[in-house]
Amino acid sequence: MEKIVINGGAPLNGSITIGGMKNAALPVIFASILVEDKCVIENLPNVSDVTRSLEILEAMGAVVERRADGSVSIDTTIINQGSSPAEIVGKLRASTYLLGAELARFGKARVGWPGGCDFGIRPIDQHEKGFERLGATVSRDKGAICLDAGDAGLCGNSVYLDFASVGATINVMLAAAKAKGKTIIDNAAREPHIVAVASFLNACGAKIFGAGTSIIKIEGVEELHGCNYAIIPDMIEAGTYMVAAAAAGGSVEIKNVIPKHLETVTSKLREMGVDVDEYDDSVVVSRAPETKMEPVNIKTLPYPGFPTDMHPQFAAILTIVDGTSKVTEGVWDNRFRYTDQLRRMGANISIAGKTAIIDGVEKLHGTTTTSVDLRGGAAVVIAALAAEGKTEIGSIQTLKRGYDDLVGKLKAVGADIEIIITDDDE
Ligand code: UD1
């Protein structure tokens, strides 16, 4: 079993290059099903969620070729409808995108129940509502979700989302891209990855307008064609290293980013007294280790609000900021499982409803911990970088789902971090 071991206290100095955004890469991979042609995707991050998504497509009959330049070509000319392997689908939240993609291509879909991080209830009612508005029926069969547009096929319609859900917005976009007529998604999610998926589909010949705003208009087209597409930089990976640099102290240049996507993270760090300098495609985060940070309050919201996927990392740094900070979760029902791990390290955190109340302590201390989910694991890594002594982090497969070479990237900027193999059970 692999564990990450961190000896805390080393300041971080140097530069880290950010890879492609996981949450854009995954829907683009599944969107390629609509294309019935070869697409070449560049800047795909080397993370296990991407590997699994490509494995699902291969198992369904697509030809996936990993090229020497790091790009991946995906030829979906042949895809067998309803043949996605349930055991991989069940490990991945993004496998919900198979629903919209299969429905768009075949007029029907059959997909096992999706997996992903446990944040409490993760309903798909808004996805289903969207499919129904376009004329599909939704049913369940032996744990699988089944959609059927019948003989009439999918027809464009208006779809109002009760919550600006990322997954539902992308799924309705996929289903509508080849439907007859026009679809309008109202209260659409506005995350940069929504824009990325729309840009990919438009590069393949789709007619999607307004992605990045809360009203998206889609004129269905009969056919799509292959394209070359580069995945945008991962704002959550970048944000994680920005917080790590602030927590450990030092000065780290985070390269290959879109600074606009990082505005909420940048402004919270500045409010805490951390220096953040922005350049065209990089940011530099600096804090002298003796500089005192200020407590802040955070509420997560859909984009352009503060990203829920940066909540645990900020909670981690705030545990060592003198004074009381509050982090309120505005997207998920229960995203606080990681707090137990920070408490093991000496953090003083209490939970009131959807708010973590954090009373800063002078120092955290290293101990044995677990990565409970992807961003919760990142929070423990950040805490461990700033802590006194040695921290062991187990269940690191959760981190590998979304961070490409986390250990190598942190080691290169001076962290005392390594992966060890142990015989322990988890
Ligand atoms: C995606 C991200 C995840 C991120 C989240 C919010 C991927 C693979 N995952 O998840 O990392 O935390 O966006 O930025 O991209 N909801 C409903 N009904 C639905 C769908 C969602 O009520 O049918 C609710 C959810 O319970 C949650 C909120 O909407 O409270 C946001 O969910 P959503 O934006 O759909 O998240 P995901 O797409 O699953």
Side-chain angles (χ1 to χ4, degrees):
M1 162 132 357
E2 286 185 329
K3 286 187 173 178
I4 291 176
V5 178
I6 298 175
N7 283 299
L12 305 184
N13 288 290
S15 64
I16 294 178
T17 302
I18 299 306
M21 187 193 278
K22 170 183 85 83
N23 287 349
L26 304 178
V28 164
I29 289 170
F30 289 112
S32 72
I33 290 176
L34 270 66
V35 178
E36 301 183 47
D37 193 358
K38 189 189 273 190
C39 294
V40 177
I41 316 293
E42 292 161 27
N43 204 32
L44 275 177
N46 186 15
V47 297
S48 63
D49 272 10
V50 163
T51 310
R52 283 177 177 153
S53 302
L54 292 171
E55 280 169 8
I56 290 174
L57 256 62
E58 277 180 307
M60 295 176 76
V63 179
V64 175
E65 192 192 323
R66 292 157 185 84
R67 298 180 167 186
D69 63 2
S71 65
V72 174
S73 94
I74 306 174
D75 188 339
T76 59
T77 310
I78 296 169
I79 284 276
N80 299 306
Q81 189 270 318
S83 66
S84 53
E87 68 281 6
I88 313 181
V89 164
K91 290 183 178 146
L92 203 66
R93 171 63 24 182
S95 40
T96 46
Y97 299 134
L98 268 173
L99 289 167
E102 273 192 24
L103 184 63
R105 172 138 173 198
F106 300 103
K108 55 187 175 174
R110 182 193 166 87
V111 181
W113 199 261
C117 292
D118 176 5
F119 305 145
I121 304 164
R122 293 188 78 165
I124 57 163
D125 59 305
Q126 298 303 305
H127 305 234
E128 293 180 346
K129 178 167 100 173
F131 299 140
E132 283 171 345
R133 293 285 297 165
L134 298 187
T137 55
V138 180
S139 59
R140 301 274 189 273
D141 179 38
K142 300 186 191 106
I145 306 159
C146 304
L147 309 174
D148 195 340
D151 294 340
L154 292 173
C155 291
N157 203 347
S158 61
V159 178
Y160 176 82
L161 299 179
D162 297 335
F163 188 96
S165 150
V166 170
T169 301
I170 292 178
N171 249 336
V172 177
M173 244 165 42
L174 295 178
K178 291 172 88 174
K180 283 186 222 88
K182 191 168 173 178
T183 297
I184 298 180
I185 310 176
D186 200 347
N187 197 27
R190 290 179 281 167
E191 271 72 0
H193 26 305
I194 306 286
V195 181
V197 180
S199 309
F200 166 73
L201 287 169
N202 285 345
C204 297
K207 292 189 173 167
I208 302 173
F209 310 96
T213 75
S214 52
I215 297 187
I216 300 180
K217 296 183 180 155
I218 304 146
E219 284 169 23
V221 296
E222 277 189 18
E223 260 187 12
L224 297 175
H225 53 76
C227 77
N228 280 32
Y229 184 78
I231 301 293
I232 56 171
D234 194 320
M235 62 184 200
I236 305 300
E237 187 194 16
T240 300
Y241 291 122
M242 290 170 76
V243 177
S251 181
V252 178
E253 180 190 21
I254 317 280
K255 298 199 307 199
N256 188 36
V257 299
I258 298 173
K260 174 140 188 56
H261 295 170
L262 297 167
E263 271 172 359
T264 44
V265 169
T266 297
S267 72
K268 272 300 156 193
L269 286 174
R270 285 181 177 155
E271 204 180 319
M272 292 168 65
V274 176
D275 287 333
V276 183
D277 295 319
E278 291 178 16
Y279 301 93
D280 286 348
D281 61 358
S282 65
V283 293
V284 177
V285 178
S286 315
R287 183 176 75 83
E290 63 282 3
T291 310
K292 193 172 165 293
M293 291 184 280
E294 299 296 326
V296 291
N297 294 333
I298 289 172
K299 178 163 185 182
T300 71
L301 287 169
Y303 192 86
F306 188 92
T308 172
D309 288 353
M310 284 302 301
H311 148 177
Q313 300 90 317
F314 265 87
I317 188 173
L318 291 169
T319 63
I320 50 161
V321 175
D322 191 24
T324 303
S325 298
K326 290 182 185 164
V327 180
T328 302
E329 177 52 47
V331 176
W332 296 109
D333 279 347
N334 180 8
R335 197 167 191 164
F336 295 108
R337 291 169 64 229
Y338 70 89
T339 56
D340 279 343
Q341 304 302 314
L342 297 181
R343 282 190 203 98
R344 291 168 70 94
M345 301 176 73
N348 187 352
I349 309 178
S350 56
I351 309 293
K354 288 193 171 189
T355 300
I357 301 161
I358 304 165
D359 284 311
V361 295
E362 205 176 307
K363 274 273 170 211
L364 298 175
H365 51 80
T367 185
T368 308
T369 63
T370 299
S371 170
V372 294
D373 57 43
L374 173 56
R375 309 304 172 186
V380 177
V381 169
I382 289 166
L385 291 169
E388 222 160 35
K390 181 167 108 176
T391 302
E392 281 190 12
I393 307 171
S395 293
I396 66 170
Q397 69 281 0
T398 51
L399 280 160
K400 290 182 176 177
R401 285 191 35 226
Y403 290 99
D404 179 6
D405 193 23
L406 174 101
V407 168
K409 288 184 181 185
L410 285 170
K411 210 185 200 42
V413 291
D416 184 344
I417 181 170
E418 59 180 343
I419 293 190
I420 58 161
I421 315 276
T422 70
D423 299 330
D424 305 359
D425 285 338
E426 274 177 7

